[in-house]
Amino acid sequence: VSAPIGVDFDRLNEMASDPALDAEMEKLRRDLGLTFPLVGVGVDRLDYTKGIPERLAAIDRLLEARPELARTLTFVQIGVPSRSGIDSYQEIERQIDDQVDAINARYRARRGDEGPIRYRKINMKAKRLVALFRLANFCIVSSLHDGMNLVAKEFVAARRDDDGVLVLSELAGAAQELRDAVLINPYDIDGFAARLEMAIDMPAAERRTR
């Protein structure tokens, strides 16, 4: 019998149930400067298949369409270094660096902080990652091509509170199973931005049902 690849749900659920997680979440808030109420997250290898530039473009488009979000939304992008010696990977890193700098420069003054994007190139330990997922109002997985994408499943498994919205590329294998995610075409930036807006505005009852 064949079955789709999964994540260690029991381990993630145990971490999400740990009473010490609240303290870890507060530490993350301080470390990342998350002083605004809305938080989005993305956790990816720095790989050209993950759709990070498209994700940043969609966030930028959303902030243009809804200027009030520039004062309430912070997006945390964790980029795990990958194959940094290869030219194509170096190029995608440069592109992401430039996009983050441009978006933050545009909105920094009106926010009074470093800008709406918190970009960290680190490999996060599992407990801290669960805390980050629990902090988030939404998680973006915008793969351009992916056999599965376990981050999508990890986000769902970490949400013992039955809250949070998964914004998931229809081109990731996980989209075949996680049909109640908000599905996006990562190449359609306007459509992607509209679906992000839907995720942010989604009522609590619908978030719980999904």
Side-chain angles (χ1 to χ4, degrees):
V1 177
S2 62
I5 192 168
V7 297
D8 189 343
F9 175 82
D10 291 338
R11 178 168 173 256
L12 290 167
N13 194 51
E14 184 180 341
M15 287 183 201
S17 310
D18 186 345
L21 194 71
D22 287 345
E24 188 67 37
M25 288 164 65
E26 281 311 306
K27 186 171 186 304
L28 258 179
R29 277 192 190 280
R30 290 194 304 273
D31 291 350
L32 293 169
L34 301 178
T35 56
F36 293 96
L38 280 172
V39 177
V41 301
V43 179
D44 309 85
R45 282 184 299 108
L46 290 173
D47 183 315
Y48 51 83
T49 67
K50 299 301 181 183
I52 301 172
E54 289 77 9
R55 176 183 317 174
L56 292 169
I59 292 168
D60 197 17
R61 191 72 50 86
L62 175 63
L63 295 177
E64 285 175 16
R66 292 269 302 270
E68 76 279 8
L69 288 175
R71 292 183 294 275
T72 58
L73 171 65
T74 307
F75 186 77
V76 179
Q77 176 63 53
I78 303 300
V80 180
S82 171
R83 303 174 186 168
S84 302
I86 300 174
D87 288 348
S88 58
Y89 286 81
Q90 290 173 4
E91 178 55 37
I92 200 71
E93 282 198 47
R94 281 193 294 271
Q95 184 179 350
I96 294 166
D97 289 346
D98 290 346
Q99 277 183 283
V100 169
D101 288 346
I103 294 169
N104 281 342
R106 232 180 340 270
Y107 296 102
R108 190 173 291 131
R110 79 178 75 168
R111 287 170 59 96
D113 67 2
E114 68 184 83
I117 312 295
R118 300 287 186 276
Y119 177 37
R120 304 292 185 265
K121 297 181 191 180
I122 51 172
N123 197 345
M124 238 180 207
K125 290 194 166 131
K127 184 177 177 183
R128 199 159 169 82
L129 194 58
V130 169
L132 181 62
F133 286 150
R134 284 292 301 277
L135 273 177
N137 298 89
F138 63 95
C139 174
I140 304 178
V141 173
S142 53
S143 311
L144 306 179
H145 174 74
D146 221 330
M148 177 54 66
N149 194 289
L150 295 180
V151 168
K153 293 188 173 186
E154 287 169 350
F155 176 73
V156 173
R159 296 310 298 245
R160 275 193 91 249
D161 57 347
D162 291 335
D163 205 348
V165 182
L166 176 63
V167 179
L168 177 60
S169 170
E170 62 193 19
L171 305 177
Q176 302 306 310
E177 298 176 84
L178 303 178
R179 302 303 299 176
D180 290 316
V182 174
L183 297 180
I184 53 108
N185 174 352
Y187 292 103
D188 174 11
I189 302 303
D190 286 333
F192 192 162
R195 300 295 271 178
L196 286 179
E197 185 173 28
M198 172 187 163
I200 288 167
D201 293 339
M202 188 180 291
E206 185 180 349
R207 297 199 302 268
R208 195 160 46 248
T209 300
R210 285 173 178 262

